Structure formats: structure tokens, C-alpha cells
Amino acid sequence: MNSKTEYILHLADNGLILAQRLGEWCGHGPVLEQDIALTNIALDVLGQARYFYQYAAEVDGQGKSEDDYAYLRGEREFKNFLLLEQPNGDWAHTIMRQFFYDNFMQLVYTKLLLSTDKQIAAIASKAIKEVNYHLKFSSEWVIRMGDGTEESHERVQNAANTLWEFTGELFVPTDYDNEMASQGIAPDVTSLKNEWENRVNEIFAEATLQVPQAIWFQSGGKTGVHSENLGLLLTDLQYLQRTYPGASW
Amino acid sequence: MDNRKRWPLWEVFIRGKHGLSHKHVGSLHAADADMAIENARDVYTRRQEGISIWVVESKDIAASDPKLNDAMFEPAADKVYRHPTFYDLPDELKHI
């Protein structure tokens, strides 16, 4: 598989896995309004994933469809961030995961607008508007909980502490990252780190939260080495196509 | 929710497009005005229903008393001459 296909699948897998996690909230949100808000975000990122899978199929040239990539690959073939496969936990964990990712993706899509690949740039120009809203939403909730009650502050601080070790991976380039950066197709992910951290510092300050200090970061998701959570998630996600191959409605 | 404080109720008004006025579309719960606007965006404009949102806390709306409906609204019932139905309007005129 060529680097470009791998990179596009990485972007697609991020959207699919996050959408699946957010979808788990459907019907279980703390209130109706936030239930709908999360499923709206899920549909946005799933839509982005579909564009990327469709484009990956074209670039891959193996005659596969978007469904083949989503439903018929094993966990070692998925290239999503470890952060996104982490369980929903409570509302604070779900929001914190979203904030870390939105913060990152807004920086990525802003750079992808200038990609030398026109199709990727076109997808980014649609996605950036969605992500701008997601980041506003997740940032406000981090602030609301951090600067809220004693309980909400503690929960959201716990969420930050738990998820922090999965944020290092966002800035660790893989071979396909480096190849795409050298061709001007994608940004150098290491160059996004400062701005990402600045925004975390800014929002956490307003939320009266402590920025966690990690001595070690998890990584591997981008090259298919996942936590045990992904296998369980895929079992749910892929069950129907695995059990009834080709089923459609 | 039990012993926790409930979020107040907000009324939502959406402007469908430029030139139209905001119309009441429903209500929702939110902790403050900012959240109410975002909730309204998610609950009431998912299918491109609007380009502008107003929210107001339900408690801030003063309403007429339904018990006084006879006195308030009946007297208009027999004044057909108030309706501008005797004019021929050109087809181009909309929203009138």
C-alpha cells in the first residue's frame, strides 16, 4: 500500500472510530439537547471519513469500496489515533477526548486547505467549517465543567489526566506522514505541537484546570498497534458485514 | 436530575431566510444563553431550517390570559372589512 493511501486511510479511520464512539452516546446523552449535539458531531466526522475512504479507494487502485475499508479490515490495519478508540467514560472524558482531537484537527485541516493534492484540499475546505464548530463546542464544555462545580471540575480534570498520555501520538510522524509532508500533501505534524499546546494552556487556564505532565506517551495507533479497546469497538462496528457479507438496505 | 439544579427552559425563534421574521419553533433546556443558542442550532437547524437564531428564557415572556380570550379576540371576529382581501395583488408580491 502506498504512503498516500495510508495517509488518507489514517484520516478516514480517525473519523470512523470517533464517530462510532460518539454514536454510542445516542439515546444516552445527559440531556436530549446534548445527545443530539454529540450525534451531530458524529455524523460530521463520519461524513469526513466517508470522503476520505472514497478517495483512498481511488488512490489505492485495488477496486475496493469505502465499505471494504470500514468493515472488512482487521484492527492491525486501522491507523486511527489511540486517543479516539478510548472508551467514552463519563461526559467529561468524552468532551476532553473531543477537545484534544478538535484542537488538533483544526490545525491539520487549516494546513490541508493548502495541500498540493486538490481532492484533499477540497475535503478540508468542507471539514474545516464543521471542525470550527466542534472545537467551539468542546472548548466551551471544558471551560464549563472546569470552572463549574467541585464535582464537574474533578471529573474533567480526571479526564484530562487519563487521556493526556494519548496526545503525544498526535505529533509523532510515521513514514507516511513524512512522505506526505515532503510532497506538500500534508503538514509536518511536529510543527503543529506548539500551537496545539498553546490552545490547551489557554482553555485550561480559563477552565481553572491543571495541564497534566506526562513522563511517557503512548503511541502506535497510527501504524496499527492499538489498545485492546479497538478490537472490541470493531466487533460491534463490523458485526453485520462480517456475519451477513454484502448485506445492504 | 433529582437533587441537582435543573436547567431553565428557553424559547427558540428561527429566521428561515433573509427578509422573513423570526418564528417560534419550540423550546429547550440550557444552562445559559450561549448554550441555548448552540442547543437550538443542534435541535432545530439540522436540516437547514434557518440562518439566525434568537433565544429567550421562557420566564421572560409575558403572555395573554387564555381566560380572557373572549374579550381579547372575539371582537375582531365580525370585522371582515379589516382584511385586505378586496385588492387584486400582483403575483410577484410575496409574504404579504
Side-chain angles (χ1 to χ4, degrees):
Chain A
M1 187 176 281
N2 60 51
S3 297
K4 190 164 167 181
T5 306
E6 287 189 299
Y7 179 68
I8 300 167
L9 284 176
H10 159 63
L11 296 174
D13 291 343
N14 283 337
L16 179 69
I17 300 304
L18 179 59
Q20 179 71 11
R21 279 293 185 226
L22 293 175
E24 291 170 13
W25 273 105
C26 187
H28 302 277
V31 293
L32 176 145
E33 291 84 352
Q34 300 309 325
D35 193 295
I36 293 180
L38 273 197
T39 40
N40 278 351
I41 293 174
L43 287 173
D44 285 344
V45 294
L46 183 64
Q48 294 165 15
R50 288 194 58 193
Y51 284 120
F52 285 124
Y53 281 130
Q54 287 162 14
Y55 188 43
E58 195 183 315
V59 173
D60 198 14
Q62 304 291 314
K64 290 183 181 171
S65 75
E66 55 181 320
D67 286 354
D68 292 327
Y69 297 105
Y71 295 124
L72 300 177
R73 281 184 305 151
E75 62 178 296
R76 291 300 297 267
E77 296 172 275
F78 274 79
K79 304 176 201 317
N80 58 282
F81 295 125
L82 296 173
L83 172 70
L84 303 176
E85 69 203 41
Q86 298 311 306
N88 286 336
D90 60 9
W91 180 255
H93 276 76
T94 294
I95 290 293
M96 189 56 72
R97 182 183 64 202
Q98 192 70 36
F99 169 67
F100 287 153
Y101 180 68
D102 295 339
N103 184 5
F104 181 74
M105 286 313 289
Q106 195 193 45
L107 299 173
V108 171
Y109 280 130
T110 301
K111 299 285 187 190
L112 289 181
L113 291 173
L114 305 170
S115 172
T116 53
D117 184 294
K118 295 294 165 242
Q119 183 63 24
I120 291 179
I123 297 171
S125 73
K126 182 174 187 301
I128 188 76
K129 293 175 200 157
E130 296 169 344
V131 171
N132 285 342
Y133 184 80
H134 302 168
L135 180 60
K136 178 178 179 326
F137 174 86
S138 56
S139 303
E140 285 175 5
W141 266 105
V142 168
I143 295 167
R144 196 180 285 285
M145 285 188 279
D147 195 20
T149 66
E150 201 176 314
E151 181 183 357
S152 69
H153 177 90
E154 191 185 329
R155 281 176 182 252
V156 78
Q157 181 69 62
N158 284 343
N161 297 348
T162 306
L163 294 171
W164 189 251
E165 66 177 307
F166 300 107
T167 60
E169 185 188 25
L170 308 180
F171 310 102
V172 179
T174 58
D175 290 345
Y176 57 80
D177 280 317
N178 290 331
E179 180 63 28
M180 290 302 97
S182 73
Q183 293 179 33
I185 291 175
D188 167 8
V189 289
T190 60
S191 72
L192 306 175
K193 192 164 190 232
N194 275 344
E195 197 170 345
W196 185 87
E197 286 178 344
N198 289 344
R199 286 167 167 194
V200 169
N201 292 339
E202 188 187 320
I203 297 296
F204 273 38
E206 200 174 336
T208 71
L209 293 170
Q210 299 291 322
V211 178
Q213 302 294 320
I215 44 171
W216 188 69
F217 286 110
Q218 303 273 1
S219 66
K222 292 168 74 172
T223 51
V225 183
H226 293 278
S227 63
E228 70 277 17
N229 297 304
L230 184 66
L232 294 169
L233 182 151
L234 291 179
T235 307
D236 209 9
L237 173 70
Q238 299 183 334
Y239 168 79
L240 199 113
Q241 282 302 321
R242 298 280 193 187
T243 311
Y244 305 99
S248 65
W249 62 86
Chain B
M1 293 252 172
D2 308 321
N3 53 354
R4 295 174 212 190
K5 218 162 73 181
R6 279 176 184 276
W7 290 345
L9 192 66
W10 298 75
E11 300 300 325
V12 180
F13 301 82
I14 305 278
R15 182 203 288 279
K17 53 184 169 181
H18 288 294
L20 296 188
S21 50
H22 287 72
K23 281 213 162 52
H24 184 242
V25 294
S27 56
L28 48 73
H29 289 92
D32 56 33
D34 289 341
M35 193 200 280
I37 288 174
E38 289 183 6
N39 288 352
R41 180 256 193 197
D42 283 323
V43 177
Y44 291 110
T45 68
R46 303 167 72 222
R47 300 177 187 87
Q48 293 188 295
E49 290 92 338
I51 54 157
S52 171
I53 298 172
W54 285 352
V55 293
V56 61
E57 255 198 86
S58 309
K59 71 176 175 55
D60 293 331
I61 289 182
S64 61
D65 183 351
K67 289 201 291 283
L68 297 177
N69 273 7
D70 284 354
M72 291 278 279
F73 306 117
E74 276 289 319
D78 61 354
K79 285 146 179 108
V80 63
Y81 48 84
R82 289 179 180 167
H83 292 269
T85 50
F86 307 103
Y87 299 96
D88 289 326
L89 294 178
D91 292 340
E92 291 75 19
L93 266 182
K94 304 272 195 281
H95 312 308
I96 207 157

